[in-house]
Short mmCIF file of all heavy atoms in Angstrom, two decimals:
data_model
loop_
_atom_site.label_atom_id
_atom_site.label_comp_id
_atom_site.label_asym_id
_atom_site.label_seq_id
_atom_site.Cartn_x
_atom_site.Cartn_y
_atom_site.Cartn_z
N VAL G 344 18.91 14.20 5.80
CA VAL G 344 17.82 13.92 6.74
C VAL G 344 16.63 13.23 6.08
O VAL G 344 15.86 12.54 6.74
CB VAL G 344 17.32 15.20 7.43
CG1 VAL G 344 18.39 15.75 8.34
CG2 VAL G 344 16.85 16.22 6.44
N ILE G 345 16.47 13.45 4.77
CA ILE G 345 15.26 12.90 4.16
C ILE G 345 15.38 11.40 3.92
O ILE G 345 14.38 10.71 3.80
CB ILE G 345 14.92 13.60 2.83
CG1 ILE G 345 16.01 13.39 1.79
CG2 ILE G 345 14.68 15.07 3.08
CD1 ILE G 345 15.64 13.93 0.44
N ALA G 346 16.62 10.91 3.87
CA ALA G 346 16.79 9.50 3.51
C ALA G 346 16.08 8.59 4.51
O ALA G 346 15.35 7.67 4.14
CB ALA G 346 18.27 9.17 3.45
N LYS G 347 16.25 8.90 5.76
CA LYS G 347 15.67 8.08 6.81
C LYS G 347 14.15 8.01 6.66
O LYS G 347 13.55 6.95 6.76
CB LYS G 347 16.04 8.71 8.15
CG LYS G 347 16.08 7.74 9.28
CD LYS G 347 16.29 8.48 10.58
CE LYS G 347 17.74 8.65 10.95
NZ LYS G 347 17.90 9.39 12.20
N ALA G 348 13.57 9.17 6.42
CA ALA G 348 12.11 9.21 6.31
C ALA G 348 11.63 8.44 5.08
O ALA G 348 10.62 7.74 5.14
CB ALA G 348 11.64 10.66 6.24
N LEU G 349 12.37 8.57 4.00
CA LEU G 349 11.94 7.86 2.80
C LEU G 349 12.07 6.35 2.99
O LEU G 349 11.21 5.59 2.53
CB LEU G 349 12.78 8.31 1.60
CG LEU G 349 12.47 9.70 1.07
CD1 LEU G 349 13.39 10.06 -0.07
CD2 LEU G 349 11.03 9.79 0.61
N VAL G 350 13.14 5.94 3.65
CA VAL G 350 13.31 4.52 3.90
C VAL G 350 12.17 4.00 4.78
O VAL G 350 11.67 2.90 4.59
CB VAL G 350 14.68 4.25 4.55
CG1 VAL G 350 14.77 2.83 5.06
CG2 VAL G 350 15.78 4.51 3.55
N ARG G 351 11.72 4.85 5.69
CA ARG G 351 10.60 4.45 6.54
C ARG G 351 9.36 4.16 5.70
O ARG G 351 8.60 3.24 5.97
CB ARG G 351 10.29 5.54 7.56
CG ARG G 351 9.23 5.13 8.56
CD ARG G 351 8.86 6.25 9.48
NE ARG G 351 8.20 7.33 8.79
CZ ARG G 351 8.54 8.61 8.87
NH1 ARG G 351 9.53 8.98 9.63
NH2 ARG G 351 7.89 9.53 8.20
N LEU G 352 9.16 4.97 4.66
CA LEU G 352 7.97 4.78 3.82
C LEU G 352 7.98 3.42 3.13
O LEU G 352 6.94 2.94 2.71
CB LEU G 352 7.89 5.88 2.76
CG LEU G 352 7.67 7.30 3.24
CD1 LEU G 352 7.46 8.20 2.05
CD2 LEU G 352 6.45 7.37 4.15
N LEU G 353 9.16 2.82 3.02
CA LEU G 353 9.23 1.53 2.35
C LEU G 353 8.51 0.45 3.16
O LEU G 353 8.32 -0.66 2.68
CB LEU G 353 10.69 1.11 2.15
CG LEU G 353 11.47 1.99 1.18
CD1 LEU G 353 12.88 1.48 1.04
CD2 LEU G 353 10.80 2.01 -0.17
N ARG G 354 8.13 0.77 4.37
CA ARG G 354 7.37 -0.19 5.16
C ARG G 354 5.88 -0.12 4.84
O ARG G 354 5.11 -0.93 5.31
CB ARG G 354 7.54 0.13 6.65
CG ARG G 354 8.90 -0.16 7.17
CD ARG G 354 8.98 -1.53 7.77
NE ARG G 354 7.96 -1.73 8.80
CZ ARG G 354 7.58 -2.91 9.23
NH1 ARG G 354 8.11 -3.99 8.75
NH2 ARG G 354 6.67 -3.02 10.17
N SER G 355 5.50 0.86 4.10
CA SER G 355 4.08 1.11 3.86
C SER G 355 3.54 0.19 2.76
O SER G 355 4.20 -0.76 2.34
CB SER G 355 3.92 2.57 3.50
OG SER G 355 2.57 2.91 3.44
N HIS G 356 2.34 0.50 2.29
CA HIS G 356 1.71 -0.31 1.25
C HIS G 356 2.57 -0.37 -0.01
O HIS G 356 3.38 0.52 -0.26
CB HIS G 356 0.37 0.31 0.88
CG HIS G 356 -0.57 0.42 2.04
ND1 HIS G 356 -1.25 -0.65 2.54
CD2 HIS G 356 -0.91 1.47 2.79
CE1 HIS G 356 -1.98 -0.27 3.57
NE2 HIS G 356 -1.79 1.03 3.75
N SER G 357 2.34 -1.39 -0.79
CA SER G 357 3.23 -1.60 -1.94
C SER G 357 3.13 -0.47 -2.95
O SER G 357 4.09 -0.12 -3.62
CB SER G 357 2.94 -2.95 -2.60
OG SER G 357 1.98 -2.82 -3.61
N GLU G 358 1.95 0.16 -3.07
CA GLU G 358 1.83 1.27 -4.01
C GLU G 358 2.69 2.44 -3.56
O GLU G 358 3.31 3.12 -4.38
CB GLU G 358 0.37 1.74 -4.11
CG GLU G 358 -0.59 0.72 -4.69
CD GLU G 358 -1.14 -0.21 -3.64
OE1 GLU G 358 -0.88 0.01 -2.43
OE2 GLU G 358 -1.83 -1.18 -4.02
N VAL G 359 2.72 2.65 -2.25
CA VAL G 359 3.55 3.73 -1.72
C VAL G 359 5.02 3.41 -1.98
O VAL G 359 5.79 4.25 -2.43
CB VAL G 359 3.29 3.91 -0.21
CG1 VAL G 359 4.21 4.96 0.37
CG2 VAL G 359 1.84 4.30 0.03
N GLN G 360 5.37 2.16 -1.73
CA GLN G 360 6.75 1.74 -1.99
C GLN G 360 7.13 2.00 -3.43
O GLN G 360 8.22 2.49 -3.73
CB GLN G 360 6.88 0.23 -1.75
CG GLN G 360 6.91 -0.18 -0.32
CD GLN G 360 7.13 -1.68 -0.22
OE1 GLN G 360 7.99 -2.24 -0.87
NE2 GLN G 360 6.34 -2.33 0.61
N TYR G 361 6.22 1.67 -4.32
CA TYR G 361 6.48 1.82 -5.75
C TYR G 361 6.87 3.25 -6.08
O TYR G 361 7.88 3.51 -6.73
CB TYR G 361 5.22 1.40 -6.51
CG TYR G 361 5.29 1.56 -8.01
CD1 TYR G 361 5.91 0.59 -8.80
CD2 TYR G 361 4.71 2.64 -8.65
CE1 TYR G 361 5.96 0.71 -10.16
CE2 TYR G 361 4.75 2.78 -10.01
CZ TYR G 361 5.38 1.81 -10.77
OH TYR G 361 5.42 1.95 -12.14
N VAL G 362 6.07 4.18 -5.60
CA VAL G 362 6.33 5.59 -5.92
C VAL G 362 7.61 6.06 -5.22
O VAL G 362 8.45 6.74 -5.83
CB VAL G 362 5.13 6.46 -5.50
CG1 VAL G 362 5.41 7.92 -5.80
CG2 VAL G 362 3.88 6.02 -6.21
N VAL G 363 7.76 5.68 -3.97
CA VAL G 363 8.93 6.15 -3.23
C VAL G 363 10.21 5.61 -3.87
O VAL G 363 11.19 6.34 -4.05
CB VAL G 363 8.83 5.71 -1.75
CG1 VAL G 363 10.13 5.99 -1.03
CG2 VAL G 363 7.70 6.43 -1.07
N LEU G 364 10.18 4.34 -4.26
CA LEU G 364 11.39 3.76 -4.85
C LEU G 364 11.76 4.45 -6.16
O LEU G 364 12.93 4.65 -6.46
CB LEU G 364 11.18 2.26 -5.08
CG LEU G 364 11.33 1.39 -3.83
CD1 LEU G 364 10.86 -0.03 -4.10
CD2 LEU G 364 12.77 1.39 -3.36
N GLN G 365 10.76 4.80 -6.92
CA GLN G 365 11.05 5.53 -8.17
C GLN G 365 11.81 6.80 -7.85
O GLN G 365 12.78 7.15 -8.54
CB GLN G 365 9.74 5.90 -8.87
CG GLN G 365 8.93 4.73 -9.29
CD GLN G 365 8.82 4.64 -10.79
OE1 GLN G 365 9.39 5.45 -11.49
NE2 GLN G 365 8.09 3.66 -11.28
N ASN G 366 11.35 7.51 -6.83
CA ASN G 366 11.99 8.77 -6.49
C ASN G 366 13.37 8.55 -5.88
O ASN G 366 14.30 9.30 -6.16
CB ASN G 366 11.11 9.58 -5.55
CG ASN G 366 9.90 10.14 -6.26
OD1 ASN G 366 10.04 11.00 -7.11
ND2 ASN G 366 8.72 9.63 -5.97
N VAL G 367 13.47 7.51 -5.07
CA VAL G 367 14.77 7.20 -4.48
C VAL G 367 15.75 6.87 -5.60
O VAL G 367 16.91 7.29 -5.58
CB VAL G 367 14.64 6.04 -3.48
CG1 VAL G 367 16.01 5.55 -3.06
CG2 VAL G 367 13.86 6.49 -2.26
N ALA G 368 15.27 6.13 -6.59
CA ALA G 368 16.15 5.76 -7.70
C ALA G 368 16.73 7.00 -8.37
O ALA G 368 17.91 7.06 -8.70
CB ALA G 368 15.38 4.91 -8.71
N THR G 369 15.89 8.01 -8.57
CA THR G 369 16.38 9.24 -9.18
C THR G 369 17.36 9.95 -8.26
O THR G 369 18.40 10.45 -8.71
CB THR G 369 15.21 10.18 -9.48
OG1 THR G 369 14.24 9.46 -10.23
CG2 THR G 369 15.66 11.37 -10.29
N MET G 370 17.04 9.95 -6.98
CA MET G 370 17.91 10.66 -6.03
C MET G 370 19.27 9.98 -5.93
O MET G 370 20.29 10.64 -5.80
CB MET G 370 17.27 10.68 -4.64
CG MET G 370 16.06 11.58 -4.54
SD MET G 370 15.47 11.59 -2.85
CE MET G 370 13.88 12.36 -3.03
N THR G 371 19.27 8.65 -5.99
CA THR G 371 20.54 7.95 -5.79
C THR G 371 21.52 8.25 -6.91
O THR G 371 22.73 8.14 -6.71
CB THR G 371 20.33 6.43 -5.71
OG1 THR G 371 19.47 6.04 -6.77
CG2 THR G 371 19.74 6.03 -4.39
N ILE G 372 21.03 8.61 -8.07
CA ILE G 372 21.96 8.93 -9.15
C ILE G 372 22.69 10.23 -8.83
O ILE G 372 23.90 10.33 -8.98
CB ILE G 372 21.19 9.03 -10.47
CG1 ILE G 372 20.73 7.65 -10.88
CG2 ILE G 372 22.06 9.65 -11.55
CD1 ILE G 372 19.86 7.62 -12.07
N LYS G 373 21.93 11.22 -8.37
CA LYS G 373 22.53 12.53 -8.08
C LYS G 373 23.31 12.50 -6.76
O LYS G 373 24.40 13.05 -6.68
CB LYS G 373 21.40 13.54 -7.94
CG LYS G 373 21.24 14.64 -8.97
CD LYS G 373 22.28 15.60 -9.16
CE LYS G 373 22.26 16.72 -10.11
NZ LYS G 373 21.09 17.49 -10.24
N ARG G 374 22.71 11.92 -5.75
CA ARG G 374 23.31 11.96 -4.42
C ARG G 374 23.36 10.55 -3.84
O ARG G 374 22.52 10.19 -3.02
CB ARG G 374 22.48 12.85 -3.50
CG ARG G 374 22.21 14.22 -4.08
CD ARG G 374 22.51 15.30 -3.09
NE ARG G 374 22.18 16.60 -3.62
CZ ARG G 374 22.98 17.31 -4.40
NH1 ARG G 374 24.14 16.84 -4.77
NH2 ARG G 374 22.61 18.50 -4.84
N ARG G 375 24.34 9.82 -4.27
CA ARG G 375 24.40 8.43 -3.86
C ARG G 375 24.67 8.32 -2.35
O ARG G 375 24.11 7.48 -1.67
CB ARG G 375 25.52 7.74 -4.63
CG ARG G 375 25.55 6.27 -4.39
CD ARG G 375 26.39 5.59 -5.41
NE ARG G 375 27.77 6.06 -5.36
CZ ARG G 375 28.65 5.84 -6.32
NH1 ARG G 375 28.29 5.21 -7.40
NH2 ARG G 375 29.88 6.28 -6.21
N GLY G 376 25.50 9.22 -1.88
CA GLY G 376 25.96 9.11 -0.49
C GLY G 376 24.84 9.04 0.52
O GLY G 376 24.95 8.35 1.52
N MET G 377 23.75 9.72 0.25
CA MET G 377 22.78 9.83 1.32
C MET G 377 22.00 8.54 1.58
O MET G 377 21.45 8.37 2.65
CB MET G 377 21.84 11.01 1.07
CG MET G 377 20.71 10.78 0.15
SD MET G 377 19.99 12.38 -0.22
CE MET G 377 18.38 11.89 -0.72
#
Side-chain angles (χ1 to χ4, degrees):
Chain G
V344 293
I345 63 173
K347 207 187 270 179
L349 287 178
V350 169
R351 186 185 66 231
L352 294 186
L353 294 181
R354 290 266 305 162
S355 188
H356 301 284
S357 91
E358 295 87 6
V359 176
Q360 285 184 46
Y361 177 81
V362 179
V363 171
L364 281 170
Q365 297 245 2
N366 288 292
V367 169
T369 307
M370 289 183 193
T371 47
I372 290 174
K373 248 298 181 43
R374 308 229 183 276
R375 187 165 61 195
M377 82 191 202

